[in-house]
Amino acid sequence: MPTHHLYLVPGFFGFANLGDLAYFHPVRDVLLATLGERGLDVKIWPVETSPTASIRRRAAILLETIAATAGEGDDPIHVVGHSSGGLDARLLVTPGAALPTNHEVEPWAARVRSVVTVSTPHHGTPAAGFFASVLGQKLLEVLSLGTIYALRFGHVPIAALLKLGALTARLDEHVGFDHNVLDQIYGQLLADFTPERRETILGFLHEVRGDQALLPQITPEAMDVFNASTGDRPGVACGSVITWARAPGVGSTLAAGLDPYAQGTHALYSVMHRLSSRMKAVDLAPAQAAALVGAYGAVPPAASSDGMVPTHSQPWGEVIHATRADHLDVIGHYHDPQALPPHFDWLSSGSGFDRTRFLALWSDVAGFIAAAAAAAPAAASA
């Protein structure tokens, strides 16, 4: 029986591991168990990508990770990418792709049997244009540190959160925005980590500052060029997971509850949603549109978003699963403090996403991968 190598690729500002903090921890556990139940011998590898490097550089890191771990035989390879991690996978399997690495692309890409993208901006996200600015880069760095903090301590200090919420509420204003407050919040969050962990986090953030080529590449305009120059590889099953979170308003505010912390993170979500919802509708394939109608009752409007990526930007290949969730819910960052380890909602969108939806989503992904694994021998002999 072959060993199937499954690679989990984080999105921009994502990390595979920071000490004992794992970006894909709950996803990895569910996929390992579910694929095992389906009779697959699976090894799962998180990819230590460069957070905001160019798509070509990140795809090269994915390739180098595969070359270092998948062995020289013909064991099948599968890739799951969250957010921009899905773009790395698409570029890797594009026939004739030229990547900045000493490894030959084709021998490894030819072994890929499936690519699953999760909340991926296939047609870009308007939020990228803002985050490519000087202010946006600083804010995104603070948000990234806040995500790491929430994973480690359960929640961001309420004082820092209220400052951040009040500050981001003025993003559309041209006066009164105190950039120094972001530096204060950054220092406050970082100070709570141990010296050893602080050094690791600072190394991660230093890498982010050093290469931010990804952000202008995932604007809607730049992704139009990306889509024109990439293509699907024959024999690779291509699928996507679609997320749509509730637009900020009275309903989402009530769904966030009365907890001041939840309301504070909801204020941040509202800002992220506003930045990402300025998107034109995308022409969907009939099967994709039908899948969205089946999941949501109708094709979501053009302004729909998961708080980071427009919903219309996410379909690619077969729609494996569509759910009501925000951008971080689907990788386990939803509110479930009773879980082991506990799950905490860093951006409270009021989506209602929970463990039942999480298991349903990743069970469908596992089923897609298993079907691709079963079809591969038939495709090879055809």
Side-chain angles (χ1 to χ4, degrees), residues 51-69:
T52 50
S54 71
I55 299 172
R56 283 187 74 229
R57 178 65 192 130
R58 287 168 52 98
I61 293 172
L62 170 58
L63 174 64
E64 289 162 358
T65 303
I66 291 172
T69 55

Side-chain angles (χ1 to χ4, degrees), residues 6-98:
L6 173 56
Y7 294 85
L8 303 178
V9 190
F12 72 97
F13 264 74
F15 52 89
N17 296 289
L18 281 175
D20 60 346
L21 303 179
Y23 186 88
F24 280 112
H25 178 80
V27 172
R28 181 186 181 280
D29 288 351
V30 171
L31 284 177
L32 195 61
T34 308
L35 289 169
E37 291 170 358
R38 293 174 179 270
L40 268 65
D41 176 24
V42 179
K43 287 186 177 179
I44 298 182
W45 309 92
V47 178
E48 297 274 2
T49 194
S50 184
T52 50
S54 71
I55 299 172
R56 283 187 74 229
R57 178 65 192 130
R58 287 168 52 98
I61 293 172
L62 170 58
L63 174 64
E64 289 162 358
T65 303
I66 291 172
T69 55
E72 296 293 338
D74 57 359
D75 284 344
I77 293 169
H78 308 270
V79 185
V80 174
H82 175 243
S83 191
S84 58
L87 304 177
D88 307 342
R90 281 184 60 190
L91 184 55
L92 171 69
V93 299
T94 293

Side-chain angles (χ1 to χ4, degrees), residues 261-300:
Y261 180 81
Q263 286 298 325
T265 61
H266 181 263
L268 290 179
Y269 165 74
S270 298
V271 172
M272 298 300 103
H273 191 281
R274 186 171 76 243
L275 291 171
S276 62
S277 62
R278 301 160 181 168
M279 183 85 175
K280 295 180 180 179
V282 173
D283 291 332
L284 303 173
Q288 293 172 339
L292 297 185
V293 171
Y296 300 128
V299 173

